[in-house]
Amino acid sequence: MAVQAAAGTPADTVGVSLGPAAALSCRECGERTPLGPVFACEACFGPLEIAYDFPGGDTEGLRKRIEAGPDNIWRYAPLLPVPEDVAAKPNTNPGFTKLVRADRLARELGVTGSLHIKDDSGNPTHSFKDRVVAIAVEAARAFGFTTLSCSSTGNLAGAVGAAAARAGLRSCVFIPHDLEQGKVVMAAVYGGELVGIEGNYDDVNRFCSELIGDPAGEGWGFVNVNLRPYYAEGSKTLAYEICEQLGWRLPDQLVVPIASGSQLTKIDKGLKELIALGLVEDRPYRIFGAQAEGCSPVSRAFKDGHDVVRPVRPDTIAKSLAIGNPADGPYVLDIARRTGGAVEDVDDPRIVDAIKLLARTEGIFAETAGGVTVGVTKKLIEEGRLDPALTTVVLNTGDGLKTLDAVAPTTGPTAVIRPNLDSFREAGLAS
Amino acid sequence: MSVNVRIPTILRTYTGGQAEVSAEGATLSEVLADLERNHTGIGARVLDDAGKLRRFVNVYVNDDDVRFEQGLETPTPDGAGVSIIPAVAGG
């Protein structure tokens, strides 16, 4: 089936070379489509994913090549839809962030196995979104787009602004008008256009989907819409890094936040690829999805035994996860059930408590999405649903500096004293 | 009731490339049936074999997601805008 270009799509893209990417394949019905800036299957509307022709056979050679690569996601270029010379092109070069062994948090939670935090706050714009955008930039270049755009809850807006600045592309990103101030500043500072939409994220997303089909969107690459098949692959690098940092081993359990569900879905895809390529031993792993109670459509569907996710109107401090109509929700349900995991949620006070718990025990200041994963991990352990004796990796996908509003009301000086020793002693601060 | 239907790119092969078409019907179900009469094949792209909206299709009447309303029985008042949008975006 020929690529059906959106209105205003750059010229014919057949013949585009993006490394091992061979075609687009519908996750729902398997229909294959040539590589291009398309995201939904013409046959069934299902999501298109990258199908690869991976190099076969030489597992050790591939492992050595990866290990010799740069300390960023491009070490995994042979497994991503990017050109071979990707590392030489201007990009933000995210990834290879810390996998922190969290022994103090483990003791606090009663974990006897090893507990790790995959801390993506260390990326160039301080969230995991730099990974997905870096891949999308390469796709945008390949397809000849001149404007990089997205619908965003905040983190993506900053990642797109920064990547576009590095790549010399125009950026114009759309956000809900009521985002946290920190995220607005972090998106606006890169000099692109930042447009507030009077509505929630789902309204913004719908607007962007409609703009793609209109001549007004000519030449625009929306990283999470018409470039979504490429963009989404960036989340696989989280799985690759975690396994490599564990000594080329699969973790037993992962706790992953859910917004659209794309990240969790692609982490699973990455793990399966590593197994298929022989880079890790094939062992069972369980994936747990984490949502905020105020936006928990996937958690609700999981608990109710449904395979359809009924959309909700979000109301939570975890704005980066506030997608009431999650595109990959059904696949998250499939993966949680297939791996023996679960999808769970925590309310806003528990999110704040978890942010402080992680900061207090490990010195990691997470954004609200990290509070959600740590909070859900704690809840799953308390309820006996996550095995405390196994190797567990919990994702922190962003920096707490982005969501200061969430903790500011309950965080501040523990004492205010006069500048003298008597005052110091009276405050009970003496050792 | 005459409504204006916005057609996504991947369905424009059925509408001769038109991004917007008119359709008649007092409910979304009737509007989709009228669309099928005038643009043969489009119905099966939007509805599954059981006659329900496909899992990855979002439909809005004016600015309201029909899943928050009455689904296929959502009223489509005269002059309303109906948007059919692929669901696999965002995040």
Side-chain angles (χ1 to χ4, degrees):
Chain A
M1 188 178 291
V3 173
Q4 187 190 1
T9 294
D12 183 18
T13 55
V14 174
V16 160
S17 177
L18 288 168
L24 296 171
S25 172
C26 176
R27 184 164 179 138
E28 196 72 0
C29 73
E31 181 81 33
R32 277 171 80 99
T33 301
L35 295 175
V38 287
F39 63 106
C41 174
E42 287 191 31
C44 74
F45 275 80
L48 296 176
E49 288 190 322
I50 310 286
Y52 292 95
D53 286 331
F54 283 139
D58 185 10
T59 302
E60 276 314 300
L62 178 59
R63 190 197 314 270
K64 285 192 173 78
R65 182 176 164 183
I66 290 170
E67 289 175 345
D71 286 344
N72 56 52
I73 62 170
W74 305 134
R75 71 200 283 114
Y76 306 109
L79 309 179
L80 296 170
V82 292
E84 289 215 4
D85 62 345
V86 64
K89 294 171 182 274
N91 206 315
T92 53
N93 305 334
F96 222 63
T97 54
K98 291 176 185 172
L99 183 70
V100 178
R101 172 107 185 199
D103 289 343
R104 294 191 71 244
L105 177 63
R107 277 196 293 278
E108 187 100 13
L109 297 180
V111 171
T112 54
S114 63
L115 179 66
H116 307 260
I117 304 294
K118 180 58 173 172
D119 185 14
D120 249 16
S121 65
N123 275 318
T125 70
H126 310 285
S127 88
F128 93 96
K129 290 293 190 182
D130 290 316
R131 298 174 182 273
V132 286
V133 171
I135 309 284
V137 164
E138 297 308 318
R141 280 192 182 112
F143 300 135
F145 289 117
T146 52
T147 298
L148 207 62
S149 187
C150 67
S151 53
S152 175
T153 56
N155 283 331
L156 182 58
V160 165
R166 286 279 300 150
L169 297 168
R170 174 195 176 202
S171 71
C172 180
V173 303
F174 300 92
I175 57 172
H177 67 104
D178 61 348
L179 273 186
E180 302 99 327
Q181 187 193 12
K183 283 186 176 168
V184 172
V185 172
M186 287 185 199
V189 74
Y190 298 105
E193 289 149 277
L194 183 70
V195 181
I197 299 281
E198 293 172 358
N200 64 23
Y201 176 78
D202 296 297
D203 297 321
V204 179
N205 200 28
R206 174 201 162 184
F207 168 75
C208 290
S209 296
E210 292 201 272
L211 185 52
I212 276 173
D214 192 278
E218 184 169 349
W220 289 41
F222 287 80
V223 299
N224 54 351
V225 191
N226 59 344
L227 297 177
R228 197 170 193 265
Y230 310 89
Y231 155 99
E233 294 292 289
S235 287
K236 293 191 313 182
T237 60
L238 278 159
Y240 300 157
E241 288 177 22
I242 288 166
C243 290
E244 184 178 357
Q245 289 168 318
L246 287 173
W248 293 108
R249 277 192 311 114
L250 291 167
D252 298 312
Q253 302 171 130
L254 287 126
V255 185
V256 182
I258 301 167
S260 72
S262 171
Q263 183 189 62
L264 187 149
T265 303
K266 291 302 186 281
I267 285 174
D268 179 62
K269 188 179 186 211
L271 296 176
K272 288 194 292 188
E273 285 174 358
L274 293 184
I275 292 167
L277 289 161
L279 287 165
V280 296
E281 184 188 350
D282 186 2
R283 301 168 54 243
Y285 60 86
R286 299 161 77 201
I287 299 184
F288 297 85
Q291 295 207 284
E293 187 182 276
C295 182
S296 51
V298 188
S299 175
R300 173 54 44 211
F302 182 86
K303 291 170 183 175
D304 290 346
H306 295 161
D307 59 4
V308 173
V309 176
R310 185 171 175 75
V312 300
R313 294 194 166 93
D315 180 19
T316 172
I317 57 168
K319 292 186 190 292
S320 61
L321 303 184
I323 297 181
N325 191 5
D328 284 291
Y331 298 127
V332 169
L333 294 172
D334 294 346
I335 290 163
R337 289 171 179 146
R338 189 197 84 228
T339 65
V343 184
E344 190 48 86
D345 55 86
V346 282
D347 62 19
D348 286 3
R350 287 188 73 156
I351 293 168
V352 174
D353 288 348
I355 291 171
K356 292 179 175 178
L357 171 64
L358 180 62
R360 177 167 54 81
T361 55
E362 299 297 340
I364 296 171
F365 182 21
E367 73 150 86
T368 45
V372 169
T373 51
V374 172
V376 162
T377 301
K378 186 170 187 280
K379 186 174 183 179
L380 290 168
I381 291 168
E382 287 167 352
E383 294 178 357
R385 296 156 68 200
L386 190 139
D387 191 335
L390 299 178
T391 299
T392 304
V393 175
V394 178
L395 265 64
N396 172 41
T397 48
D399 195 311
L401 291 173
K402 289 172 176 270
T403 55
L404 287 173
D405 293 355
V407 291
T410 56
T411 310
T414 52
V416 177
I417 63 172
R418 294 182 301 282
N420 61 56
L421 292 175
D422 285 344
S423 184
F424 175 78
R425 290 189 190 94
E426 284 165 13
L429 295 167
S431 48
Chain B
M1 305 289 179
S2 180
V3 300
N4 188 49
V5 186
R6 289 185 61 84
I7 305 295
T9 311
I10 60 175
L11 293 181
R12 289 179 196 167
T13 47
Y14 299 97
T15 61
Q18 292 180 89
E20 293 189 22
V21 297
S22 293
E24 301 291 327
T27 64
L28 177 59
S29 183
E30 291 177 11
V31 166
L32 293 176
D34 190 55
L35 268 185
E36 173 63 21
R37 270 191 295 277
N38 294 310
H39 309 283
T40 306
I42 200 168
R45 288 283 173 263
V46 179
L47 302 173
D48 64 18
D49 293 344
K52 294 180 178 170
L53 280 175
R54 285 188 180 275
R55 191 156 75 148
F56 292 99
V57 178
N58 289 340
V59 180
Y60 298 82
V61 174
N62 292 328
D63 279 338
D64 297 318
D65 185 334
V66 298
R67 286 175 298 181
F68 288 113
E69 305 299 325
Q70 297 166 56
L72 287 169
E73 297 316 306
T74 301
T76 50
D78 197 38
V82 175
S83 295
I84 302 169
I85 297 174
V88 291

